[in-house]
């Protein structure tokens, strides 16, 4: 439909990837008789477990991110419901390791003896919350952690990642996530923070890393999840802690400059029409990790939207009572019936060629949950376990965790905790019998045999279900509750010495 | 996803059973299509005695398309660039499925014996090679390039007399380690010495050199960078040199937060951002959407007031690739920082700029996003500021009937109209988008309909009698 042929390098890369995804989707549909529930659960679990003790030398570039590796592996296992039993000595060993990463002055470093940094602090607190024992949560030195968070705070309410380091919205999210879990949220810590986050929203609707920077999925997640924590939706039980900079003059808890309509539009446009997964930025390629960053941001935005719409003055703003009316001509009829039909035809043709079939999922989130699930399952699962960024790229722990977390988001909703849509295999159509059709059973179809073993006495439908993920914290909801309750039961900290 | 073929299994088995001298290739633990390769420099070549780490990847079309091969060890060679990419015909147009992994690796090894300056990748290296082969070989063996890059030619710290006074400090991973990285001996030793130096708080030239070695092991280790800054300050080191150092590291690891922050720190110490435009331009040429490069450029432009030529530079980038959204975002940044968008002439200029690129490629989201932004709460806040836009969007929508962005813009305009007729049309358009033109965003269009357009229509209908009386007065 493009009028002028383009030689844009962006378009060439995009078209190439679309074709790869189409092929992967068509192949997978054919091999799995159209069903989607081909989660290689056992292989993913095996893959994740191989890294928890020892990693090859190529991980040297992650030597300052080892708490992250703990979190990716543990949370990936949690989502797969594949965590080792509580008696496994592994948990104690992870706690001991993270204790060594904790800095005497508070916060966690990327490895033993490294200076504290907000990113590994977030990862360590998250990993300890997954383990969730008194031993695990008890190693966190809250007094010192609070000192560290205040030391990272900038005068305007943003946070730098380390004492001598960059300021961006990752720092803000990591700081308030950790403060929320550990019971350290207080107005003084987050004064001005919501305003600073809102300055990161761009003309496109998403958020950049710092004011002025391009809208980006990772930073949008951090911004939106951060706002959600500040709005008291998830972090503060105290209603006085709706933490805008000046709640007395801002009826929206400090969020009066949030353009939520633009945010929702930008988030929904990040879902790629052909591939079904999310891209991180406008005109960038799909990547499985954004299944969680963009998908999670979309879920959180929906929750935020509901909260804000309950404020009458906000409703008036959304309905643009202050915007001068635009005079539209009488002939502004845009979509004729023929054009809608042509659009349907185009969508049908795309699906036939391999694009994910859109518009069938009834789930409650703002994006097409079925299309996202198809991208992760059909295009990104490695036959030997693990999830990759995109087809033909090697898997890694990061994408495995965030790909599976995003897949979990597609399966759960806020009301019932479960939202399967219409893409579940019906009970009588178990995966058996399939293997016999493939004489040349290679690594691909092995997954089915494996799943058979796993299924055992379980309901075959359970095979596809992943554990629910709290989209603000990136943890199982009950683990968030457990960690918060643990810290809430602790004696109040002595006042901070300034 | 792609299944492992018998061919790959057979080739892997054969390589293990019949090793080739000077070539060790092992499939990756994580992905059997990935091979870690150790290539020994051929005897009699400038690379003799060196061991080079190479990665080899078999795409899913293999053997119909060639393996992808890249040097991980930095190497000074006319046919291998800084990123390790190799210029070799059988890896491109001369590939044949009859060749295999072993044949490819033998050819790469042969390329080390017989560099071909007539088919170069890094032009400067080839030129150097052509004009002065002996000098080029000498450079290849000169520190710090090789010392920092090539483990085989590197002298361990415990063999260096000038480090004899330092007792290395090992990492405390505890009695039962987890996520333990099997460090190479070099990585481990460099970090052990660095820990010792940091513990002593030593500020010295050798400490500075050690941080360079450590950064070469892992440029994402923020503790090393922080210590390097302490040492640089302590030595009152020459910042111009440090600026060049950061460019080398950024070229090798362009998506590394630490080195970009470090560069900003260096530029602040220099009080001079004049080199940053040309520098970020080079980085943007290598990767036109490098987030760090654009963020750094924004910072430099704003901090040092380098606004004058920015729009012209951006226009060239957008012209080269109108889908480069980073360049569009930078345009927004410059326009919002230096111009008054509420001046009608300026607003018209920006609208026309976006329209020009939309007309070239109506499915390119970047100019649409820019256009919508101009009228959003971050821009002038209302479509009423540009009454011509509606007719333009309608005309475009008729000309490109499947263009979602045009219909979406008309829906946004209708939402601001308060006209029942326009709102009713917009409701129909939302349905059409959800059911036909843009089904993947069906839920978004339904949301728009229910949460925005229907309440607006209800208000418009309720307000109609009042409006009529208002217009007659």
């Amino acid at each position: 439909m493009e009028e002028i042929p383009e030689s844009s390098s962006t378009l060439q890369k995009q078209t190439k990837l679309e074709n790869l995804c189409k092929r992967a989707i068509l192949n997978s549909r054919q091999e799995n008789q159209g069903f989607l529930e081909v989660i290689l659960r056992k292989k993913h679990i095996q893959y994740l477990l191989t890294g928890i003790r020892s990693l090859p030398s190529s991980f040297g570039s992650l030597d300052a991110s080892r708490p992250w590796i703990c979190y990716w592996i543990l949370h990936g296992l949690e989502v797969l419901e594949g965590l080792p039993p509580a008696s496994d000595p592994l948990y104690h060993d992870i706690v001991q390791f993270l204790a060594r990463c904790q800095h005497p002055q508070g916060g966690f470093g990327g490895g033993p003896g490294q200076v504290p940094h907000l990113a590994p602090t977030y990862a360590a607190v998250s990993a300890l919350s997954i383990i969730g024992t008194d031993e695990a949560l008890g190693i966190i030195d809250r007094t010192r952690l609070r000192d560290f968070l205040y030391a990272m705070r900038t005068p305007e309410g943003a946070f730098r990642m380390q004492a001598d380091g960059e300021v961006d919205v990752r720092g803000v999210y990591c700081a308030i996530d950790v403060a929320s879990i550990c019971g350290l949220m207080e107005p003084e810590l987050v004064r001005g923070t919501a305003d600073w986050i809102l300055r990161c929203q761009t003309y496109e609707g998403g958020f950049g890393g710092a004011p002025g920077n391009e809208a980006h999925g990772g930073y949008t997640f951090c911004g939106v999840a951060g706002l959600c924590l500040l709005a008291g939706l998830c972090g503060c039980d105290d209603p006085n802690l709706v933490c805008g900079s000046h709640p007395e003059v801002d009826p929206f808890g400090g969020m009066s400059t949030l353009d939520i309509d633009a945010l929702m539009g930008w988030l929904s446009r990040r879902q790629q029409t052909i591939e079904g997964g999310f891209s991180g930025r406008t005109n960038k390629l799909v990547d499985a990790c954004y299944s969680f960053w963009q998908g999670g941001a979309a879920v959180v935005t929906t929750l935020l939207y509901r909260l804000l719409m309950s404020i009458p003055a906000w409703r008036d703003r959304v309905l643009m009572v202050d915007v001068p009316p635009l005079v539209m001509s009488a002939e502004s009829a845009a979509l004729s019936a023929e054009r809608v039909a042509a659009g349907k035809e185009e969508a049908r043709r795309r699906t036939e060629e391999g694009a994910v079939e859109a518009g069938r999922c009834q789930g409650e989130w703002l994006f097409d949950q079925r299309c996202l699930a198809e991208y992760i399952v059909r295009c990104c699962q490695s036959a030997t376990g693990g999830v990759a960024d995109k087809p033909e790229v090697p898997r890694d722990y990061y994408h495995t965790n965030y790909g599976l977390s995003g897949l979990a988001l597609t399966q759960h909703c806020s009301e019932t905790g479960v939202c399967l849509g219409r893409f579940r295999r019906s009970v009588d159509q178990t995966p058996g019998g399939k293997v016999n059709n493939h004489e040349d059973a290679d690594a691909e179809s092995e997954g089915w045999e494996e799943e058979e073993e796993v299924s055992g006495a379980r309901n075959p439908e359970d095979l596809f279900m992943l554990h629910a993920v709290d989209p603000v914290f990136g943890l199982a909801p009950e683990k968030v509750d457990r960690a918060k309750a643990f810290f809430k039961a602790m004696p109040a900290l002595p006042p901070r010495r300034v | 996803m792609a299944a492992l073929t018998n061919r790959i299994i057979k080739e892997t088995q054969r390589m293990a059973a019949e090793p080739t001298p000077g070539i060790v290739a092992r499939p990756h633990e994580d992905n059997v299509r990935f091979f870690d390769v150790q290539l020994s420099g051929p005897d009699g070549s400038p690379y003799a005695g060196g061991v080079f780490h190479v990665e080899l990847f078999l795409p899913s079309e293999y053997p119909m398309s060639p393996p992808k091969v890249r040097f991980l060890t930095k190497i000074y060679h006319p046919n291998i660039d800084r990123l390790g990419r190799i210029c070799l015909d059988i890896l491109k147009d001369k590939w044949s499925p009859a060749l295999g992994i072993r044949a490819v690796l033998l050819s790469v090894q042969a390329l080390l014996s017989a560099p071909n300056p007539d088919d170069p990748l890094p032009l400067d290296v080839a030129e150097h090679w052509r004009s002065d082969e002996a000098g080029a070989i000498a450079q290849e063996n000169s520190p710090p390039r090789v010392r920092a890059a090539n483990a085989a030619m590197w002298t361990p710290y415990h063999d260096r007399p000038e480090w004899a006074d330092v007792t290395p400090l090992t990492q405390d991973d505890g009695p039962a380690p987890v996520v333990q990285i099997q460090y190479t001996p070099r990585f481990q030793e460099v970090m052990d010495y660095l820990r010792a130096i940091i513990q002593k708080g030593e500020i010295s030239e050798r400490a500075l050199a050690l941080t360079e070695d450590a950064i070469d092991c892992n440029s994402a280790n923020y503790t090393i960078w922080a210590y390097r800054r302490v040492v640089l300050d302590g030595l009152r080191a020459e910042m111009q040199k440090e600026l060049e150092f950061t460019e080398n590291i950024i070229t090798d690891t362009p998506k590394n937060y630490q080195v970009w922050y470090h560069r900003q720190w260096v530029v602040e110490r220099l009080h001079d951002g004049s080199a940053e435009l040309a520098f970020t331009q080079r980085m943007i040429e290598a990767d036109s959407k490098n987030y760090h490069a654009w963020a750094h450029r924004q910072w430099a432009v704003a901090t040092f007031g380098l606004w004058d030529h920015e729009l012209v530079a951006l226009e060239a980038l957008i012209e080269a690739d109108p889908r480069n959204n980073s360049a569009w975002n930078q345009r927004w940044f410059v326009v919002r920082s230096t111009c008054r968008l509420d001046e009608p002439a300026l607003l018209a200029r920006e609208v026309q700029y976006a329209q020009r690129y939309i007309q070239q490629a109506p499915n390119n989201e970047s100019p649409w996003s820019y256009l919508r932004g101009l009228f959003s709460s971050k821009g002038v806040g209302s479509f009423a500021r540009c009454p011509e836009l509606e007719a333009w969007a309608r005309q475009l929508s008729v000309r490109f009937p499947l263009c979602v962005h045009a219909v979406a813009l008309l829906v946004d305009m209708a939402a601001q109209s308060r006209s029942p007729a326009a709102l009713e049309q917009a409701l129909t358009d939302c349905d059409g988008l959800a059911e036909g033109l843009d089904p993947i965003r069906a839920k978004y269009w339904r949301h728009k309909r229910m949460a925005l357009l229907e309440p607006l229509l209800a208000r418009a209908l309720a307000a109609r009698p009042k409006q009529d009386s208002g217009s007659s007065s």
Side-chain angles (χ1 to χ4, degrees):
Chain A
M1 86 151 285
E2 306 282 49
E3 178 84 330
I4 297 162
E6 266 188 273
S7 59
S8 146
S9 56
T10 301
L11 188 63
Q12 285 169 5
K13 286 181 196 148
Q14 173 63 24
T15 311
K16 197 176 158 208
L17 184 56
E18 281 176 7
N19 289 335
L20 264 182
C21 289
K22 282 180 193 171
R23 210 180 318 147
I25 290 166
L26 278 182
N27 286 346
S28 162
R29 280 200 198 134
Q30 209 168 6
E31 285 177 20
N32 301 305
Q33 297 148 4
F35 291 111
L36 190 50
E37 337 24 28
V38 207
I39 295 182
L40 307 176
R41 189 184 297 260
K42 193 171 170 188
K43 295 205 166 173
H44 295 323
I45 293 171
Q46 270 168 2
Y47 164 64
L48 287 168
L49 284 172
T50 53
I52 194 65
R53 286 284 178 190
S54 171
L55 298 158
S57 64
S58 55
F59 276 75
S61 59
L62 287 173
D63 188 42
S65 307
R66 288 170 68 197
W68 277 111
I69 307 176
C70 294
Y71 165 67
W72 296 331
I73 292 178
L74 286 176
H75 186 57
L77 291 169
E78 175 107 86
V79 172
L80 292 159
E81 293 182 345
L83 281 171
S87 58
D88 197 307
L90 177 66
Y91 296 121
H92 171 75
D93 296 343
I94 294 175
V95 172
Q96 286 308 304
F97 167 70
L98 292 173
R100 283 178 165 76
C101 295
Q102 188 165 219
H103 196 270
Q105 251 114 64
F108 291 77
Q114 296 180 22
V115 295
H117 187 286
L118 274 171
T121 298
Y122 166 86
V125 170
S126 301
L128 292 167
S129 300
I130 295 170
I131 297 172
T133 56
D134 289 359
E135 183 206 13
L137 296 168
I139 70 150
I140 299 173
D141 183 339
R142 283 167 83 222
T143 312
R144 293 267 156 74
L145 177 59
R146 183 177 63 178
D147 292 343
F148 173 61
L149 295 178
Y150 272 99
M152 296 305 105
R153 199 190 123 91
T154 72
E156 41 184 5
F159 289 81
R160 53 181 74 252
M161 299 301 285
Q162 71 186 89
D164 165 26
E166 67 276 12
V167 173
D168 62 40
V169 74
R170 283 177 313 153
V172 171
Y173 168 68
C174 291
I176 54 189
D177 171 283
V178 164
S180 301
I181 288 184
C182 299
L184 299 172
M185 274 292 240
E186 50 195 40
E188 201 190 337
L189 180 67
V190 293
R191 184 152 295 136
T193 302
D195 287 341
W196 193 87
I197 295 177
L198 287 164
R199 282 173 56 207
C200 298
Q201 190 179 24
T202 83
Y203 67 93
E204 294 196 82
F207 290 67
N213 292 176
E214 187 183 1
H216 178 289
Y219 298 121
T220 300
F221 172 83
C222 290
V224 172
L227 286 176
C228 199
L229 289 168
L230 292 172
L233 263 189
C234 324
C236 319
D237 299 324
D238 179 352
N240 297 320
L241 277 186
V242 175
C243 304
S245 54
H246 31 65
E248 61 286 355
V249 292
D250 184 346
F252 313 124
M255 271 188 268
S256 56
T257 59
L258 172 66
D259 189 341
I260 202 162
D261 191 48
L263 172 61
M264 288 171 129
W266 181 82
L267 282 168
S268 73
R269 284 194 303 277
R270 298 286 57 75
Q271 192 168 22
Q272 305 285 79
T273 302
I274 304 286
E275 308 91 299
F278 283 103
S279 70
R281 299 181 247 163
T282 303
N283 276 329
K284 288 271 284 175
L285 301 175
V286 66
D287 177 339
C289 74
Y290 294 114
S291 308
F292 183 75
W293 300 130
Q294 305 281 25
V299 170
V300 175
T301 300
T302 306
L303 300 174
L304 206 52
Y305 182 84
R306 288 179 193 163
L307 176 89
L308 291 169
M309 286 302 270
S310 67
I311 306 171
W314 179 275
R315 232 179 109 77
D316 283 351
R317 256 187 84 239
V318 166
L319 298 180
M320 295 177 289
V321 287
D322 295 332
V323 178
L326 174 75
V327 181
M328 294 276 282
S329 73
E331 46 186 323
S332 77
L335 272 186
S336 61
E338 296 89 77
R339 287 169 61 194
V340 176
K344 277 187 191 164
E345 176 57 25
E346 170 73 10
R348 195 193 57 74
R349 191 184 60 74
R350 281 188 194 143
T351 310
E352 223 157 64
E353 283 181 357
V356 286
E357 188 181 351
R360 282 209 290 148
C361 181
Q362 300 300 312
E364 74 178 307
W365 309 129
L366 200 59
F367 54 93
D368 193 313
Q369 293 164 222
R370 179 193 164 85
C371 289
L372 178 61
E374 281 215 67
Y375 175 70
I376 301 162
V377 167
R378 300 204 197 281
C379 298
C380 301
Q381 280 193 108
S382 163
T384 47
V387 174
D389 156 354
K390 48 177 72 68
E392 300 211 333
V393 166
R395 65 185 173 176
D396 57 57
Y397 298 122
Y398 167 83
H399 286 93
T400 301
N401 173 53
Y402 289 112
L404 292 172
S405 295
L407 187 56
L409 291 178
T410 70
Q411 298 178 344
H412 297 271
C413 70
S414 60
E415 305 297 324
T416 63
V418 176
C419 167
L420 274 176
R422 282 160 42 190
F423 48 93
R424 287 165 82 184
R425 181 189 301 275
S426 62
V427 185
D428 53 334
Q429 288 166 306
T430 54
K434 171 69 177 55
V435 176
N436 299 335
N437 300 336
H438 282 244
E439 296 293 332
D440 57 336
D442 54 18
E444 192 76 284
S445 51
E446 263 172 43
W448 287 88
E449 299 175 280
E450 301 273 348
E451 296 295 10
E452 280 293 88
E453 290 166 30
V454 177
S455 71
R458 295 176 73 179
N459 182 337
E461 291 198 7
D462 295 340
L463 286 177
F464 188 54
M465 284 306 292
L466 297 176
H467 198 89
V469 175
D470 181 307
V472 172
F473 293 94
L475 294 171
E478 68 276 15
K479 297 295 172 72
V480 178
D481 296 343
R482 155 88 185 120
K484 278 195 200 165
F486 176 87
F487 290 111
K488 206 175 171 187
M490 288 179 96
L493 289 184
R496 200 168 59 93
R497 270 178 294 160
V498 184
Chain B
M1 266 320 266
L4 204 58
T5 64
N6 283 339
R7 155 104 179 219
I8 297 175
I9 295 165
K10 280 195 186 126
E11 279 197 60
T12 308
Q13 287 167 342
R14 191 166 150 234
M15 277 191 299
E18 307 162 30
T20 314
I23 299 177
V24 182
R26 281 195 210 90
H28 217 270
E29 293 182 9
D30 296 347
N31 184 340
V32 285
R33 288 176 172 271
F34 250 93
F35 289 80
D36 278 327
V37 182
Q38 306 284 338
L39 271 189
S40 302
D43 288 343
S45 78
Y47 306 95
V51 177
F52 298 88
H53 192 191
V54 172
E55 70 175 13
L56 182 145
F57 174 65
L58 304 172
S60 67
E61 298 91 355
Y62 181 83
M64 298 320 291
S65 57
K68 298 186 198 309
V69 189
R70 188 169 79 95
F71 272 76
L72 297 176
T73 309
K74 278 178 236 167
I75 182 169
Y76 196 68
H77 188 289
N79 310 109
I80 302 166
D81 73 5
R82 297 186 67 115
L83 302 174
R85 294 176 296 201
I86 307 164
C87 184
L88 181 61
D89 53 0
I90 64 158
L91 291 175
K92 294 179 182 127
D93 50 329
K94 297 280 165 51
W95 168 253
S96 149
L99 299 165
I101 302 168
R102 183 203 296 260
V104 164
L105 293 176
L106 282 169
S107 300
V108 172
Q109 202 181 31
L111 193 66
L112 296 184
S113 297
N116 177 9
D118 296 327
D119 188 13
L121 266 176
L123 289 170
D124 55 330
V125 180
E127 193 44 51
H128 193 181
W129 213 278
R130 250 197 298 266
S131 58
D132 174 17
E133 183 162 343
I137 292 168
Q139 163 139 7
E140 195 248 321
N141 286 307
S142 74
R145 183 181 293 272
V146 167
R147 192 201 64 212
N150 191 339
M153 295 181 185
W154 175 79
T155 309
Y157 280 81
H158 63 260
D159 286 343
R160 300 185 195 185
E162 71 273 26
W163 285 92
D165 60 309
V166 176
T167 311
L169 189 61
T170 52
Q171 178 168 274
D172 173 20
D173 257 330
V178 296
V179 291
Q180 189 180 37
I181 299 167
Q182 304 306 307
Y183 304 115
T184 63
R186 172 170 173 250
F187 190 113
Q188 175 132 21
E189 194 187 39
V190 169
M191 292 308 296
D192 288 351
Y193 276 80
L194 185 78
R195 271 184 283 272
I197 287 295
I198 292 180
Q199 196 188 43
K200 281 170 59 180
E202 180 177 315
I203 310 285
S204 64
E205 287 295 339
R206 73 172 182 182
L208 190 65
L210 179 62
T211 59
E212 190 171 329
D213 239 4
I215 285 163
D216 189 67
C217 290
N218 174 18
S219 61
N221 187 323
Y222 58 92
T223 302
I224 308 172
W225 285 104
Y227 192 67
R228 184 173 175 88
R229 287 189 282 274
V230 171
V231 174
L232 286 167
D233 266 347
L235 295 174
R236 296 164 191 258
E238 215 249 286
M239 285 293 145
Q240 196 58 44
K241 229 174 98 192
E242 189 65 7
L243 198 67
E244 286 157 27
F245 173 69
T246 64
E247 174 152 2
N248 288 337
I249 305 294
I250 289 175
T251 305
D252 290 337
T253 54
K255 295 191 177 174
N256 168 327
Y257 282 98
Q258 283 69 36
V259 63
W260 283 100
Y261 173 76
H262 188 75
R263 182 160 181 114
Q264 192 175 319
W265 181 87
V266 172
V267 174
E268 274 172 352
R269 286 286 192 286
L270 281 169
H271 303 291
D272 176 8
S274 58
E276 298 317 283
L277 288 187
F279 163 68
T280 48
Q281 189 78 28
R282 287 194 290 280
M283 297 306 123
I284 287 165
E285 272 161 27
D287 173 2
S288 63
K289 296 165 186 179
N290 181 329
Y291 203 86
H292 300 281
W294 284 105
H296 184 81
R297 192 174 174 104
Q298 276 195 1
W299 168 80
V301 165
T303 307
F304 299 98
L306 311 171
W307 306 98
D308 291 355
H309 305 289
E310 193 58 358
L311 273 193
V312 177
L314 291 169
E315 275 165 21
L317 280 167
I318 292 177
E319 188 57 31
D321 181 2
R323 292 177 192 250
N324 183 347
N325 198 63
S326 303
W328 284 95
N329 182 75
Q330 183 80 347
R331 182 180 177 94
W332 179 275
F333 174 71
V334 174
V335 167
R336 283 312 259 147
S337 305
T338 58
C339 309
R340 289 182 57 93
L341 211 51
D342 51 9
E343 273 175 26
L346 190 98
L347 181 65
R349 183 191 81 182
E350 293 308 300
V351 168
Q352 282 158 17
Y353 186 75
Q355 285 175 329
R356 196 175 102 211
Y357 284 102
I358 290 171
Q359 273 152 344
Q360 270 183 29
N363 281 340
N364 176 8
E365 186 185 335
S366 293
W368 283 108
S369 200
Y370 192 84
L371 184 66
R372 193 186 292 104
L374 292 171
F375 300 97
S376 73
S377 60
K378 311 274 170 197
V380 296
S382 160
F383 288 111
R385 303 294 296 277
C386 185
E388 318 82 74
L389 196 61
E390 183 211 342
W392 173 84
R394 182 163 14 92
Q395 197 191 354
L396 196 96
S397 169
V398 170
R399 197 167 135 220
F400 300 99
L402 296 183
C403 178
V404 170
H405 300 296
V407 188
L409 187 69
L410 286 165
V411 167
D412 280 349
M413 291 176 139
Q416 286 187 9
S417 74
R418 307 225 187 111
S419 138
L423 285 163
E424 268 161 21
Q425 180 57 48
L427 288 177
T428 320
D429 284 353
C430 276
D431 292 344
L433 287 162
E435 285 159 24
L437 284 193
D438 196 24
I440 198 163
R441 269 162 283 283
K443 284 197 259 179
Y444 171 72
W445 295 119
R446 283 187 210 124
H447 160 82
K448 193 120 194 165
R449 186 193 158 112
M450 283 182 350
L452 188 64
L453 297 172
E454 284 175 2
L456 284 171
L457 179 61
R459 280 193 186 198
L461 289 172
R464 189 144 55 171
K466 224 194 290 174
Q467 210 173 40
D468 286 349
S469 63
S471 62
S472 61
S473 66

